[in-house]
Structure formats: structure tokens, C-alpha cells
Amino acid sequence: TQLLEQSPQFLSIQEGENLTVYCNSSSVFSSLQWYRQEPGEGPVLLVTVVTGGEVKKLKRLTFQFGDARKDSSLHITAAQPGDTGLYLCAGAEGSNYKLTFGKGTLLTVNP
Amino acid sequence: NAGVTQTPKFRVLKTGQSMTLLCAQDMNHEYMYWYRQDPGMGLRLIHYSVGEGTTAKGEVPDGYNVSRLKKQNFLLGLESAAPSQTSVYFCASSYFRGTEQFFGPGTRLTVL
């Protein structure tokens, strides 16, 4: 069974601070997805990274896929209260029908 | 388009009771999934389906059954509910394997 470890598990910061959350595995993934889940709702896709070393930017969010396609990071610049939520990474492996989800990082951005 | 919808949103059961959770999607997706989400455990796959009439076991299938009689619907059944099945249940669908999954709003189930 492939595992995705996310760190930190919890993160509480002030508005305007920068932060990075990590998603690590000993396994290689063909692609990796990042989702954000707000309280009382289902996860919503933020981005998919496919190529080793790939960097994608979504406004103040920067996603990076490791060269070996085993790890990924999400960096948020100048965090805002609207960024509050549970951030989940999920890996897809080749012909497997399933995604492997990490346990998530619960981010709280205080005004 | 409604995306993925789940019925009901909340439910309280007594131990031993049965119930069915309904998931519907209007995106013509082939793949559908049922997850449970528990504090500190993340999303765990219960069962999934790769097309109408097919189902397969996920990571935590015990105590649950599923059916996919129509492409747009995926039903999750609990035959004899147990307190350990208290959780938030999410249904999801995707166009193809490994691609973006679209999630429903969840069903919060409490088993007393």
C-alpha cells in the first residue's frame, strides 16, 4: 500500500505570513493532485502536477512536484483568511484506478 | 449542472439498523468512489466502480455493500450499522482513472 505523508498536520498563522506544506512518499506517482476542503464540504481540486520538477502557480499558491515524482510541496504567499481549510494531496499510480490520499494539513489563517 | 449530489446530508442510526446512501452525478463519468473521512485518518476508500454494473473493494470495505445499476448512480449500503461506522461519507466521480475527482458535499452519519 502506498502512503502519502503530509506535514505539518496542523498550521495556524497570521494573515500575511508565508507557509509551505509538504507531501512525501517512498513511492513514485504518475501524477499528484492537491485538493482544498472547507468545513462541511467535499474536497475541491486545486492543481494536478504530472512531470518531475514541475512548478505550477495559482495566484498566491505555488505547487512543486519533486524530480523523482515522490514528493510535492505547496507554498502560499501572503496567506489570507480565505485560505483556511484542509489541504490534501493525492497520488495517482499508473494504471491504478484509485488515488492515494494523504491525511491532510489543516491550515488556519487568523485575521 | 449539479455535479455530484448525495442523499441524505445527515442521518442518525441505532446499532443494527440498515440504510442506503445515494450518490448521483450528471457529468457522465465512468468512475465513481465512496470514501469515509474520520479525524486523523484522512480519506479512506470504501468501494469504487469503473463503470455501470461493476464494483470493487477499496481499503476499508467491511460492513458496506455497493451497487452501480445505472451509470449516474452509486449506492452505498450499511446492512447492520455499528458505532465504528460513525463518520462523514463522501462520494466522488472522475472521467478517467487518476484524473480529477469531483466530490459531493458529504453525508454525516452517526450510529448510536
Side-chain angles (χ1 to χ4, degrees), chain A residues 6-11 19-22 87 104-106:
Chain A
Q6 289 192 245
S7 61
Q9 188 176 358
F10 301 97
L11 188 56
L19 68 113
T20 302
V21 298
Y22 300 92
Y87 289 81
T105 293
L106 185 60

Side-chain angles (χ1 to χ4, degrees), chain B residues 33-74:
Chain B
Y33 315 83
W34 275 107
Y35 294 90
R36 59 178 290 173
Q37 188 175 39
D38 303 290
M41 300 297 291
L43 282 166
R44 292 184 291 171
L45 183 64
I46 304 171
H47 286 280
Y48 64 100
S49 169
V50 301
E52 181 179 316
T54 74
T55 63
K57 294 180 179 180
E59 181 185 355
V60 287
D62 294 344
Y64 305 95
N65 56 77
V66 288
S67 64
R68 183 107 181 262
L69 299 180
K70 293 183 179 181
K71 185 177 182 178
Q72 63 268 35
N73 295 336
F74 196 27

Side-chain angles (χ1 to χ4, degrees), chain B residues 2-90:
Chain B
V4 179
T5 58
Q6 292 184 233
T7 308
K9 290 188 177 353
F10 302 93
R11 185 72 186 269
V12 178
L13 290 178
K14 295 182 179 179
T15 297
Q17 288 185 319
S18 63
M19 77 163 294
T20 300
L21 283 67
L22 173 63
C23 175
Q25 53 95 4
D26 62 2
M27 296 172 282
N28 201 35
H29 286 169
E30 290 291 339
Y31 300 80
M32 296 189 75
Y33 315 83
W34 275 107
Y35 294 90
R36 59 178 290 173
Q37 188 175 39
D38 303 290
M41 300 297 291
L43 282 166
R44 292 184 291 171
L45 183 64
I46 304 171
H47 286 280
Y48 64 100
S49 169
V50 301
E52 181 179 316
T54 74
T55 63
K57 294 180 179 180
E59 181 185 355
V60 287
D62 294 344
Y64 305 95
N65 56 77
V66 288
S67 64
R68 183 107 181 262
L69 299 180
K70 293 183 179 181
K71 185 177 182 178
Q72 63 268 35
N73 295 336
F74 196 27
L75 279 63
L76 177 71
L78 285 73
E79 294 180 343
S80 180
S84 61
Q85 294 177 304
T86 293
S87 186
V88 181
Y89 291 85
F90 287 99

Side-chain angles (χ1 to χ4, degrees), chain A residues 2-47:
Chain A
Q2 296 184 313
L3 293 176
L4 274 171
E5 300 287 339
Q6 289 192 245
S7 61
Q9 188 176 358
F10 301 97
L11 188 56
S12 180
I13 61 172
Q14 294 299 121
E15 182 176 1
E17 293 183 0
N18 301 332
L19 68 113
T20 302
V21 298
Y22 300 92
C23 176
N24 296 297
S25 176
S26 58
S27 303
V28 176
F29 292 100
S30 57
S31 67
L32 198 136
Q33 301 171 15
W34 283 92
Y35 291 80
R36 182 170 72 199
Q37 184 179 15
E38 298 188 13
E41 299 182 8
V44 176
L45 182 73
L46 294 172
V47 78

